[in-house]
Amino acid sequence: MPPSACPRHFSTGSVLRLDFKMNSARVRRAFIALGSNLGDRVEMIEKACLEMDRAGIKVKRTSSLFETAPMYVLDQAPFMNGVCEVETTLGPIELLDALQSIENTLGRIKLIDKGPRSIDLDILLFDQEVFSHERLDIPHKLMLERDFVLRPLCQLIPHEHPPQLEKKTRTYQEHLQTLPPPEPTPVSTTPIAPYFPSLHATDPTRTTHVMAILNLTPDSFSDGGKHSPTDLTQLTETVRKFIAQGATIIDVGGESTRPGSVPVGADEEIARVVPAIKHIRTSIPEAANTAISIDTYRASVAEAACTAGADIINDVSAGLMDPEMLPTAARLGKSIILMHMRGTPQTMTKLTEYPSGVIPEVSAELRSRVAAAEAAGIRRWRIILDPGLGFAKNQPHDLKILRDLHKLRGAEGLECLPWLMGPSRKRFIGHLTGVKTPAERVWGTGATVSASVAGGADIVRVHDVHEMWQVVRVADAIYRTQ
């Protein structure tokens, strides 16, 4: 929903009129508001971002997407709002022309002022310039008085100041903090698939998703050899059982990432996972509304799996083990889980030093992976994070993360993102309980799953679906505001 009307912060009588005839080699930074409330709102915004890239308006970073109530014309659907940072060699009016051309290409028809629209692209800021024209004012009018503009903008430049001709003003974050809380509160949105509900990480009433682990490997630490990629009858029974027990996501893996595991190669991994994913998608009707994630760090495996029907890429290395992973995920337009790990499964147990504390260092390292994902073209609203319990971490680290997950969720630069927690049957549970056999660590896993929900996890990845669904159900009732 676009900002409009005249703000008290920028009086047109004092605004400098600038005539931009720019050298085409000069790259400028601008911030564009994104809005839609018709049709598939996320899809329309994503198409607009792709069209900007094609037009040479390089989308560098995006905010989360927030579902917000309409203003002025109240009898219309909620909006999806966000902001993107772009680089362009165009001047302000040229940029405006390009954005309006994209709106027209995507079928925007303006029937009612401030009414429904399929796509809305508004220039908020252009470098630190103040610009006035009969068609355009920069900064955009009323932007400092609108939560649905400042909330996403503050994810990108919270500590910057609005451009002005006189003295320093508040930062964008300070402006946001002065606004009255909107009603209802906007909720962040992470799309998964057309047939699967989006994640809403900032909604206190959300329910936690149960992700069932389907390892098609002979050597996974807990269930190696249990599920065969060639026995489709057993696969059908397993998936049906997972869904009946409460799983909403099936995580399919074709290579073990347990400590010291031996890589199998992309061809073998594809041979294990692709037939299974195709079978789930085409031959198990009960799975029609179930999301499938592919547990891999290889770009070629991720692409083959997504072509076969996977919805989410679950990369334990957050793109570090295959430089093609992040560009591939961006091109595929899939949501991706970025997990914190150091080194490889073969070396990670030697990389467990966190001199500044596990929470600050995991936060910082995940921020760098989010930045790398954005640089590769992955939109922020397509990112899910995982702190990587047991990966380059020892028992005290795992317990600290479970205890302080809320601090990770609130860390600057990681706000409003969904989180996955994968504590199931982990080694630290065995150390604490003395239970040596991973499959028998159900009770200990239950405690960690409950702690994950209390800390704000959006997804828990588990082996024991029936038992952990019950834990999640009760934990949601305790910790999620109803």
Side-chain angles (χ1 to χ4, degrees):
M1 189 171 180
S4 62
C6 185
R8 59 175 179 263
H9 303 282
F10 304 102
S11 64
T12 55
S14 64
V15 171
L16 176 65
R17 173 70 182 268
L18 299 176
D19 183 16
F20 286 89
K21 291 185 179 178
M22 297 175 11
N23 185 315
S24 61
R26 187 180 180 191
V27 177
R28 310 297 290 266
R29 182 181 74 156
F31 290 85
I32 311 298
L34 311 166
S36 174
N37 78 330
L38 291 177
D40 188 325
R41 300 166 298 172
V42 174
E43 180 183 30
M44 189 59 67
I45 289 172
E46 290 185 328
K47 285 181 177 179
C49 289
L50 289 175
E51 290 298 324
M52 282 191 275
D53 282 332
R54 292 191 185 106
I57 305 166
K58 175 61 179 175
V59 178
K60 300 293 291 182
R61 294 189 297 156
T62 61
S63 70
S64 300
L65 289 180
F66 295 92
E67 186 169 79
T68 60
M71 292 180 67
Y72 307 114
V73 180
L74 302 181
D75 186 18
Q76 57 178 320
F79 278 81
M80 200 65 73
N81 290 119
V83 171
C84 66
E85 176 186 345
V86 304
E87 287 183 349
T88 180
T89 57
L90 301 175
I93 297 300
E94 295 171 304
L95 179 58
L96 176 64
D97 288 339
L99 296 178
Q100 290 181 344
S101 176
I102 291 171
E103 290 176 336
N104 292 335
T105 297
L106 295 179
R108 174 176 174 172
I109 300 174
K110 187 173 181 179
L111 299 176
I112 304 172
D113 185 38
K114 301 181 179 62
R117 74 276 333 244
S118 57
I119 188 65
D120 213 343
L121 305 174
D122 277 358
I123 304 171
L124 299 175
L125 300 166
F126 191 91
D127 276 347
Q128 279 291 305
E129 306 293 350
V130 179
F131 179 81
S132 181
H133 185 275
E134 61 184 6
R135 295 177 57 204
L136 177 65
D137 286 296
I138 300 175
H140 202 296
K141 296 178 177 180
L142 279 184
M143 61 175 285
L144 296 181
E145 299 177 11
R146 293 183 170 181
D147 181 282
F148 66 84
V149 174
L150 284 181
R151 188 177 295 260
L153 184 63
C154 283
Q155 289 188 309
L156 302 177
I157 49 172
H159 306 302
E160 292 192 22
H161 296 262
Q164 73 291 304
L165 297 177
E166 300 166 359
K167 64 180 182 179
K168 282 279 186 184
T169 62
R170 299 175 180 138
T171 65
Y172 292 109
Q173 186 67 52
E174 289 168 342
H175 277 288
L176 178 62
Q177 290 168 349
T178 67
L179 298 182
E183 182 60 39
T185 302
V187 293
S188 62
T189 298
T190 301
I192 302 298
Y195 43 81
F196 191 87
S198 296
L199 304 180
H200 299 291
T202 61
D203 181 359
T205 68
R206 70 194 185 281
T207 56
T208 307
H209 286 275
V210 174
M211 173 187 280
I213 299 170
L214 181 61
N215 283 326
L216 304 174
T217 55
D219 59 340
S220 292
F221 85 97
S222 173
D223 56 355
K226 183 177 180 181
H227 308 298
S228 170
T230 59
D231 189 341
L232 298 183
T233 299
Q234 183 199 49
L235 177 66
T236 299
E237 293 175 357
T238 298
V239 170
R240 284 176 172 163
K241 181 179 178 182
F242 283 159
I243 295 170
Q245 291 177 342
T248 55
I249 307 171
I250 308 293
D251 190 45
V252 180
E255 178 180 292
S256 174
T257 52
R258 62 181 172 80
S261 60
V262 178
V264 299
D267 290 343
E268 176 64 23
E269 192 178 355
I270 289 172
R272 291 175 178 178
V273 301
V274 166
I277 292 171
K278 285 182 177 178
H279 182 72
I280 295 170
R281 274 287 163 254
T282 61
S283 303
I284 306 179
E286 295 89 340
N289 296 317
T290 301
I292 299 175
S293 63
I294 173 62
D295 181 4
T296 185
Y297 57 82
R298 294 188 176 94
S300 60
V301 177
E303 182 157 13
C306 290
T307 300
D311 307 294
I312 307 167
I313 299 168
N314 183 10
D315 183 358
V316 296
S317 78
L320 284 170
M321 292 180 67
D322 185 344
E324 293 302 313
M325 175 60 89
L326 298 181
T328 297
R331 177 168 49 80
L332 295 172
K334 298 293 184 179
S335 293
I336 184 169
I337 299 166
L338 304 177
M339 194 192 81
H340 177 269
M341 182 177 70
R342 292 173 172 175
T344 68
Q346 295 74 43
T347 65
M348 64 183 179
T349 56
K350 300 177 182 179
L351 302 171
T352 58
E353 295 297 321
Y354 296 88
S356 299
V358 67
I359 299 298
E361 293 198 29
V362 168
S363 298
E365 290 170 28
L366 280 176
R367 265 195 301 273
S368 73
R369 300 318 301 156
V370 170
E374 290 179 318
I378 297 173
R379 312 309 181 197
R380 185 181 177 89
W381 55 78
R382 287 286 182 182
I383 295 174
I384 301 166
L385 299 179
D386 179 347
L389 294 173
F391 286 77
K393 297 168 192 73
N394 56 34
Q395 178 178 311
H397 299 142
D398 291 330
L399 295 175
K400 181 67 172 175
I401 289 170
L402 282 163
R403 191 179 301 118
D404 289 341
L405 177 59
H406 64 283
K407 294 182 180 179
L408 282 172
R409 293 180 66 241
E412 184 170 87
L414 304 182
E415 310 97 332
C416 304
L417 293 172
W419 287 78
L420 179 146
M421 292 288 278
S424 187
R425 301 180 179 178
K426 287 289 172 70
R427 181 177 299 180
F428 75 92
I429 297 173
H431 288 167
L432 290 169
T433 61
V435 178
K436 296 181 179 180
T437 304
E440 296 176 1
R441 297 171 184 163
V442 180
W443 297 105
T445 296
T448 64
V449 167
S450 185
S452 297
V453 174
D458 300 271
I459 306 168
V460 290
R461 182 179 181 271
V462 301
H463 298 85
D464 306 292
V465 176
H466 177 63
E467 293 86 351
M468 295 311 119
W469 176 86
Q470 293 181 54
V471 172
V472 163
R473 183 80 172 182
V474 175
D476 278 348
I478 296 170
Y479 298 112
R480 300 291 199 239
T481 304
Q482 299 299 317

